[in-house]
């Protein structure tokens, strides 16, 4: 929506990643582009393992539970749920989404879209709001060039995420949360 115009540069959490933000009628959209030292296939495998032990530990420390839903339709998809903590005086946001990956020669893509499923996190629902998300990951293998460090595989990653946090929320919170969601973290 809106093409390449109107993107505002964001302060990135990493020197290797360029981040941008755009406000649209359908919500805020963030974009991150960077290069990492591994193949597109390895990045995609890591992304699809949303509830790995390492990521579960990090989420628990942030107070952000993650659940993998056992409703797999195909081997190349998964459904997951999480609660994203929001600042004081705003409700936490619950997100439930399906992610599907596709591999082509030299690149892998992952599409993410919210799904309408009830999830029992074992907590009171009174303090959270259901948000929605649409996102797209594109991981493209880069050719090994002569003189590259140890001939390590590299790939370019482009991540675009559109989030509707639902309800009225101050713009400063959106400006804070988008870079957090775009950063490379567990």
């Amino acid at each position: 929506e809106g093409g390449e115009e109107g993107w505002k540069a964001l302060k990135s959490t990493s020197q290797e990643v360029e981040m941008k933000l755009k406000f649209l009628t359908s919500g805020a959209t963030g974009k991150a582009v960077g290069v990492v030292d591994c193949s597109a296939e390895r990045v995609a495998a890591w992304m699809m393992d949303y509830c790995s032990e390492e990521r579960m530990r990090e989420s628990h420390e942030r107070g952000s539970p993650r659940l993998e839903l056992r409703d797999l339709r195909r081997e190349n998809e998964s459904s997951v749920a999480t609660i994203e903590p929001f600042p004081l005086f705003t409700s936490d946001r619950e997100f439930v989404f399906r992610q599907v990956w596709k591999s082509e020669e030299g690149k892998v893509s992952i599409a993410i879209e919210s799904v309408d499923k009830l999830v029992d996190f074992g907590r009171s629902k009174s303090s959270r709001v259901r948000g929605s998300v649409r996102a797209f990951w594109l991981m493209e293998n880069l050719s090994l060039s002569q003189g590259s460090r140890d001939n390590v595989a590299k790939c370019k990653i482009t991540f675009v995420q559109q989030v509707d946090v639902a309800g009225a929320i101050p713009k400063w919170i959106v400006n804070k949360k988008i870079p957090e969601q775009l950063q490379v973290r567990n």
Side-chain angles (χ1 to χ4, degrees):
E1 185 180 332
E4 289 298 318
E5 294 180 22
W7 288 98
K8 172 187 158 194
L10 290 173
K11 182 177 180 186
S12 180
T13 57
S14 169
Q15 293 179 355
E16 291 82 26
V17 179
E18 175 188 359
M19 292 185 182
K20 298 178 181 179
L21 173 68
K22 182 187 259 189
F23 286 100
L24 305 167
T25 56
S26 53
T29 299
K31 180 177 182 179
V33 179
V35 174
V36 296
D37 289 344
C38 68
S39 70
E41 295 77 12
R42 289 194 64 143
V43 174
W46 183 80
M47 291 308 306
M48 290 298 292
D49 195 8
Y50 192 78
C51 292
S52 69
E53 184 178 329
E54 179 183 8
R55 293 169 120 182
M56 293 291 282
R57 183 175 41 256
E58 191 265 349
S59 289
H60 178 73
E61 290 169 0
R62 289 182 43 234
S64 176
R66 293 173 180 234
L67 299 173
E68 184 172 348
L69 309 178
R70 300 292 177 174
D71 64 346
L72 296 176
R73 293 179 219 142
R74 298 180 298 223
E75 288 185 20
N76 68 328
E77 71 178 67
S78 65
S79 294
V80 294
T82 188
I83 297 174
E84 185 65 30
F86 269 62
L88 195 59
F89 305 118
T90 57
S91 298
D92 292 344
R93 289 339 196 235
E94 175 184 351
F95 294 93
V96 182
F97 56 92
R98 180 172 74 120
Q99 50 187 14
V100 180
W101 66 268
K102 178 182 176 184
S103 180
E104 298 176 39
E105 179 124 2
K107 61 184 174 182
V108 182
S109 57
I110 300 174
I112 297 171
E113 186 164 34
S114 288
V115 293
D116 189 22
K117 293 182 185 273
L118 294 176
V119 178
D120 182 3
F121 285 92
R123 296 180 172 183
S124 168
K125 291 184 178 186
S126 63
S127 64
R128 66 180 184 256
V129 174
R130 175 69 71 101
S132 64
V133 61
R134 295 180 82 188
F136 184 75
W137 290 90
L138 177 61
M139 289 74 62
E140 301 171 280
N141 286 322
L142 300 176
S143 62
L144 290 176
S145 61
Q146 297 295 350
S148 74
R149 183 173 49 128
D150 299 324
N151 285 333
V152 173
K154 292 180 183 276
C155 75
K156 176 182 177 185
I157 301 174
T158 303
F159 176 51
V160 179
Q161 180 179 45
Q162 184 176 40
V163 178
D164 180 354
V165 294
I169 192 155
K171 194 172 181 177
W172 71 267
I173 294 176
V174 175
N175 287 336
K176 177 181 185 238
K177 295 305 266 184
I178 290 288
E180 287 177 7
Q181 295 305 308
L182 293 175
Q183 73 180 332
V184 177
R185 70 170 186 216
N186 296 336

